Amino acid sequence: MQRRTILTGTALGVAGAALGLTRPAGARAGQPARGLLAVRGVTVIDAARGVRRDQTVLIRDDRILDADSAQRVPVPPGTRVVDGRGKYLIPGLADMHTHATGIDDTDPELYVVNGVTTTREMSGGAEARSWQRQVAAGERLGPRWTVGSKIIDGTPSLWEGIDTDNDLHIAVADPAQARAAVRQEHAAGAAFIKTYTRLSRTAFLAVAEECRRLGLPFLGHVPDFVELTEASDRGLRTVEHLFGIWYDTSADEQRLRRAVAAVPIGPGEYNGWFNRMHPLEYAAACTYDRRRAERVFRRVARNGTYVTPTLVLHETNDLPEQIDRHDPRNRYFSADMIGFWDWAVDNLYLPGRTPARIAESRELFRRRLSLTADLAAAGVPLMTGTDLGTSYLMPGFSLHDELALLVRAGLKPLEALGAATLNPARYLRRSDQGVVARGALADLVLLDADPLHDIRNTARIDSVVVRGRLLDRAARVHLLADIEARVKQPSATPATYRGCACHGPARAVV
């Protein structure tokens, strides 16, 4: 299949000139020119300090020089000034659960044009590492990327037959193999280790111990055979998705755990795992004990464990009948990408959806929203993530959908913004990120409307500042038009598809 490279190498220079993003001789593509940029008279909103009106934010290169009242921040002559009156400035957004799809090569630019300036890659493939290098070298526009390990799963692994080249997962049968996998990925430069669904308890504990020895974070799915509280106690840094949370909070926990352990799952049985686990997950959700849950969640919060709910993923999995296959945002994706999404929905999501199963799934998603609110109320830090790679989830665009679902779940808009800005920065141990303050990174989003009035206003973007470089309204419009035109270029070879319904990238077979 022909790849569609967006704004790399020479193409970026040509497009940059067309978009008014020219730079002085010697500067690299995608990097800010020397000089000052000021956003003046703007309302600043961040989760650390709330709302500050009539502010001037002064930027040089990739740092905020000052951010204070317009009267206290002078704007030097020659500064490029953006009129912020009537607009709202927030920190750049973070998508903390992504997977490079391997079909459209457009993710970096789509993230940035949507105000997503930080991403975390959860399956450590070559695609994301390539994007990370290109962005860091200034060869293309893109977010700051944190790239993890290959997925460490048990054996048989849900990835067998899907990741046929073994470039995205490692299956381990025992603690020795688990420790070796951690060492291998650490040596390869992984920023963290990703644990997965069918990892045995002994192998999981070995991963935890080896990561502790190496000083390497580990995070991911709570395996079927491990309690949430034990995973958190052992140092699991973030819990990805809500699947593994119900059992610790169920009044019928022990019976359900025995049932989960007895479920036979063969190699590569993604759809089988969902189908066989659904009755048990539904039973656990229906026996949710709020007092028990509060004790569990406060323990998780004390341990400093984060949760990435990925509500957009759960909505897609639980309610595939509601997927909008005619979403106008689809124009930014190739026929191959849309083809994979449709293939997955028709072959993996919809078969076997009886009226009873649909009714249960609706109730389960309603309970997931309530569960998310309970986690936040107990002090568990939440982060936004989309699980890009799942059908009809889109780089950048779906992060705004996730914010809307967090508010629908019961979070206040400022709390939802914190999940997309301040909490990811704290997770990354970056005091200079996720805030609009002196000395912070100049990753910012200028909005036309107040996100605290309506969280959906995060999608009403005027401009984006990424690494100190301004992508103004006209540049955003031109960049989106360029992406739309490029993904319409026909593939050299028609593609057929195989892949998992969620949690991982589509793989094109040509």
Side-chain angles (χ1 to χ4, degrees), residues 395-406:
F397 296 107
S398 291
L399 195 282
H400 299 282
D401 300 334
E402 180 74 5
L403 285 167
L405 285 173
L406 287 174

Side-chain angles (χ1 to χ4, degrees), residues 33-38 40 58-60 74-82:
R34 287 282 175 183
L36 293 171
L37 170 69
R40 188 160 58 187
L58 189 63
I59 298 161
R60 173 177 286 155
V75 177
T79 300
R80 180 177 182 182
V81 176
V82 175

Side-chain angles (χ1 to χ4, degrees), residues 100 201 220 251 254 266 348 390 396 437 448 455 460 474:
R201 179 176 177 273
Q254 295 310 313
L348 300 176
T390 300
D448 287 324
I455 195 62
R460 295 183 60 183

Side-chain angles (χ1 to χ4, degrees), residues 413-478:
L414 189 60
E415 292 175 319
L417 278 177
T421 55
L422 187 61
N423 287 352
R426 286 173 172 170
Y427 157 81
L428 293 167
R429 296 190 169 98
R430 294 292 303 252
S431 60
D432 61 351
Q433 195 169 338
V435 293
V436 183
R438 181 182 299 173
L441 295 172
D443 291 340
L444 304 163
V445 188
L446 186 63
L447 304 175
D448 287 324
D450 186 355
L452 302 188
H453 174 70
D454 185 341
I455 195 62
R456 292 172 296 181
N457 287 336
T458 60
R460 295 183 60 183
I461 298 173
D462 176 277
S463 304
V464 177
V465 179
V466 56
R467 299 169 185 257
R469 182 165 186 170
L470 177 67
L471 192 69
D472 64 15
R473 186 188 298 272
R476 288 186 67 253
V477 168
H478 282 292

